């Protein structure tokens, strides 16, 4: 182990839809966090690992910090706020605007309670003129004392190399936590469930509110084919009909797009069977939330 090797934990925070998952996927170079234009897609702390010559960064992608509306919301907020104290660096992602709304003010208030260095990442710089980025930097400087401010575009990778250099600067010296080829510590089942959920959200667009979960019933390798049975859980009977679609067309579409992504990830042939079940108000039931993998961490 090199003497000057660095390793540490970094979390990405920010309001829903600022591009946290997109940035993480770009930095890691693989699709791990699911991306969707609906808020609150990231539900668990997805840990991804980036290993370079200089060091190893373990990214913990927290759910968005927002005001909680139900038990699922409360759980997500608690996980997010607890993570801030447990990491070496906080990356706060914002959009390039001078308007700092209530959501951003709420995050700034939470950050003032922690001692972790905070790097402000102004994302989506590809969507504005260059001269509009400076006023955004100035506006944010007024609400918090940042360790650094780095403008990037997660979509096309602009300035992401610079961001990694800045992150490394704040990490402690230490050993590798994971092997070079480790990219995530999420069990495969969880990533498969998230991929199916992402495809369902994309296919359904705005037809269904956010209340869907995916449970993996079984995942077995047989004759070099991965056989996966999964259930999409929704909150209402009317949602079930929409997810299945006319003559099962919507469910087929979700299944085939998800299967394609899962095959790429697992690097093998996949036989995917999908079912749909209604569990009313699962987001307000602690028992059901635990069933779908949302566990309070000790």
């Amino acid at each position: 182990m090199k003497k000057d090797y660095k390793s540490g934990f970094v979390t990405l925070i920010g309001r829903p839809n600022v591009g946290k998952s997109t940035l993480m996927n770009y930095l890691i170079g693989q699709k791990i966090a699911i991306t969707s234009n609906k808020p609150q897609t990231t539900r668990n702390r997805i840990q991804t690992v980036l290993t370079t010559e200089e060091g190893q960064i373990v990214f913990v992608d927290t759910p968005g910090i927002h005001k909680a509306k139900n038990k699922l919301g409360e759980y997500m907020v608690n996980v997010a706020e607890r993570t801030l104290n447990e990491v070496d660096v906080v990356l706060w992602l914002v959009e390039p605007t001078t308007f700092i709304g209530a959501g951003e003010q709420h995050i700034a208030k939470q950050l003032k309670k922690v001692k972790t260095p905070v790097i402000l990442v102004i994302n989506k710089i590809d969507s504005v003129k260059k001269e509009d980025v400076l006023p955004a930097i100035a506006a944010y400087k007024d609400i918090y004392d940042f360790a650094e401010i780095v403008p990037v575009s997660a979509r096309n990778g602009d300035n992401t190399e610079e961001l990694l250099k800045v992150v490394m600067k704040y990490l402690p010296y230490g050993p590798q936590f994971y092997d070079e080829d480790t990219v995530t510590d999420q069990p495969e089942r969880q990533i498969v469930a998230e991929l199916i959920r992402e495809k369902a959200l994309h296919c359904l667009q705005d037809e269904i509110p956010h209340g869907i979960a995916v449970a993996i019933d079984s995942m077995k390798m047989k004759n070099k084919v991965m056989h996966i049975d999964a259930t999409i859980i929704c909150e209402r009977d009317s949602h079930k009909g929409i997810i299945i679609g006319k003559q099962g067309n919507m469910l087929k579409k979700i299944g085939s797009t998800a299967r394609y992504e899962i095959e790429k990830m697992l690097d093998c042939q996949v036989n995917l069977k999908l079912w749909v079940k209604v569990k009313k108000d699962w987001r307000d039931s602690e028992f059901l939330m635990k069933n779908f993998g949302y566990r309070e961490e000790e």
Side-chain angles (χ1 to χ4, degrees):
M1 181 54 65
K2 292 191 301 187
K3 259 199 199 104
D4 55 354
Y5 198 81
K6 290 187 149 195
S7 58
F9 292 82
V10 174
T11 190
L12 294 110
I13 61 163
R15 285 192 319 114
N17 291 343
V18 290
K20 298 188 293 291
S21 300
T22 308
L23 177 63
M24 198 163 69
N25 289 336
Y26 189 91
L27 294 175
I28 301 289
Q30 282 197 23
K31 191 163 185 185
I32 290 161
I34 70 167
T35 51
S36 154
N37 55 6
K38 291 190 175 186
Q40 287 183 40
T41 26
T42 307
R43 293 196 169 167
N44 283 298
R45 296 161 50 153
I46 295 184
Q47 289 200 314
T48 50
V49 184
L50 179 67
T51 307
T52 68
E53 287 289 303
E54 297 81 53
Q56 190 171 69
I57 305 171
V58 182
F59 287 100
V60 188
D61 185 18
T62 67
I65 299 180
H66 52 83
K67 294 252 187 329
K69 291 196 185 80
N70 52 28
K71 278 212 175 80
L72 177 60
E74 275 168 41
Y75 167 75
M76 289 163 72
V77 171
N78 290 341
V79 171
E81 291 175 2
R82 196 162 56 229
T83 305
L84 300 179
N85 281 307
E86 295 171 357
V87 295
D88 300 298
V89 177
V90 174
L91 296 182
W92 179 14
L93 256 72
V94 298
E95 298 194 358
T97 169
T98 53
F99 172 72
I100 300 174
E104 251 71 45
Q105 300 282 3
H106 174 69
I107 291 175
K109 210 162 94 185
Q110 299 306 320
L111 288 176
K112 282 175 182 156
K113 299 176 194 168
V114 300
K115 295 182 173 70
T116 316
V118 180
I119 297 167
L120 183 72
V121 182
I122 298 184
N123 189 23
K124 304 186 184 178
I125 56 169
D126 54 317
S127 66
V128 293
K129 294 192 185 84
K130 270 196 176 132
E131 59 267 26
D132 291 342
V133 177
L134 285 172
I137 292 174
Y140 272 96
K141 266 186 174 162
D142 287 345
I143 65 161
Y144 189 84
D145 185 15
F146 294 100
E148 309 258 352
I149 297 178
V150 185
V152 303
S153 164
R155 194 185 298 158
N156 59 28
D158 283 359
N159 221 24
T160 49
E161 284 295 314
E162 180 59 28
L163 177 61
L164 288 176
K165 276 185 207 153
V166 171
V167 169
M168 280 291 179
K169 199 165 110 184
Y170 289 91
L171 291 188
Y173 291 100
Q176 264 183 240
F177 295 108
Y178 296 93
D179 295 338
E180 279 86 356
D181 54 358
T182 301
V183 176
T184 176
D185 76 345
Q186 290 276 31
E188 276 179 350
R189 279 177 170 239
Q190 208 169 330
I191 301 177
V192 167
E194 287 287 86
L195 280 172
I196 295 168
R197 211 167 75 84
E198 174 187 27
K199 294 305 161 201
L201 291 176
H202 278 307
C203 292
L204 295 161
Q205 295 293 342
D206 298 322
E207 290 188 70
I208 292 225
H210 220 76
I212 66 168
V214 174
I216 303 296
D217 307 314
S218 76
M219 208 168 146
K220 290 189 192 100
M221 186 65 104
K222 199 172 159 193
N223 303 332
K224 295 187 182 166
V225 177
M226 182 66 85
H227 295 268
I228 301 169
D229 284 15
T231 305
I232 297 174
I233 290 113
C234 56
E235 291 182 307
R236 301 203 177 112
D237 293 317
S238 57
H239 295 172
K240 183 177 177 177
I242 295 168
I243 295 167
I244 292 170
K246 275 190 187 143
Q247 291 161 338
N249 282 342
M250 181 57 86
L251 197 59
K252 277 186 200 134
K253 186 179 167 190
I254 294 168
S256 61
T257 52
R259 195 189 72 236
Y260 172 74
E261 289 277 352
I262 296 164
E263 286 184 335
K264 268 200 320 193
M265 187 195 76
L266 297 178
D267 203 17
C268 70
Q269 208 183 324
V270 168
N271 172 22
L272 176 64
K273 286 188 185 150
L274 290 180
W275 321 87
V276 185
K277 272 187 196 158
V278 178
K279 300 240 193 235
K280 292 187 172 52
D281 301 323
W282 67 264
R283 285 184 291 178
D284 269 325
S285 154
E286 275 176 19
F287 169 72
L288 290 175
M289 273 172 54
K290 278 188 179 134
N291 259 359
F292 304 141
Y294 307 113
R295 290 177 181 82
E296 274 290 4
E297 297 186 21
E298 291 308 316

